[in-house]
Amino acid sequence: MQITESYEGTIERTLYSREQIAAAIERLAREIAADHRGQPLMLLGVLKGALFVVTDLARAVAAVPDGPSEIIVDYMCVSSYGNATRSSGEVRLLKDTSEPVTGRNVVIVEDIVDNGLTLQYLQALLGERQPARLRSCVLFDKPYHRRVDVPVEYVGLQAPDEFVVGYGLDYQELFRNLPYLAQLKDAVFTRPEA
Ligand code: 5GP
């Protein structure tokens, strides 16, 4: 049995298809390219969740005519404390950037923003390092439980007030490889740990 088949019984509904996600990334790429026309750009993916967003976005920005003069792709790896479905904002930095951000036009690329605390932490940390410009891009926005007002210049799609998985987003490390965004069945959350 393929892994995607074993996921099938756990998925309540598809929220955004692979094609809808690709279209959103194309639009974000055009917006980012237009704001960095003729300038160097550093796309900074926040792993693991932004794994696919940052790679797809980097190629899409590069394909826009008259975009940035050069594109550097880097990543940070963070993990949020909290329960299985909600972050506490207390972020553990597992891996810092490889390249310095000082003096660069940096776009933080996140998978999803919910209460905003993770992005706030990253903006504060990177802002102290004096980038030339610091902007943020999130593929999915869940604006329902924001605890802090974080600026997000590039927003892809609105996600419902649900815990979502797929396209990089996990539940207990599973489902990241789904090519679409999905809502899980309630039974998945009440299942005893294997
Ligand atoms: P925030 O700090 O804004 O509440 O949440 C940011 C992080 O929490 C995201 O980068 C993501 O890792 C996780 N997160 C928030 N909402 C969801 C969700 O619906 N599904 C998954 N899989 N992760 C989420």
Side-chain angles (χ1 to χ4, degrees), residues 49 80 85-89 110-119 142 162-165 169-171:
S80 298
T85 59
R86 183 130 290 154
S87 89
S88 65
E110 259 279 36
D111 48 1
I112 193 163
V113 57
D114 180 15
N115 62 34
L117 293 170
T118 304
L119 194 54
K142 289 204 304 192
E162 303 286 350
F163 187 79
V164 297
V165 295
L169 288 156
D170 74 310
Y171 176 62

Side-chain angles (χ1 to χ4, degrees), residues 3 6 21 45 58 61 69 93 111-112 115 124 127-129 132 145 150 164 172 184:
I3 290 181
S6 74
I21 292 173
V61 174
S69 56
L93 184 60
D111 48 1
I112 193 163
N115 62 34
E128 279 173 13
R129 299 179 188 176
H145 303 279
V150 275
V164 297
Q172 297 187 338
L184 295 176

Side-chain angles (χ1 to χ4, degrees), residues 175-193:
F175 305 102
R176 287 194 202 278
N177 55 319
L178 282 180
Y180 51 88
L181 191 78
Q183 181 185 344
L184 295 176
K185 289 189 192 300
D186 285 345
V188 176
F189 302 109
T190 52
R191 202 166 50 182
E193 303 242 339

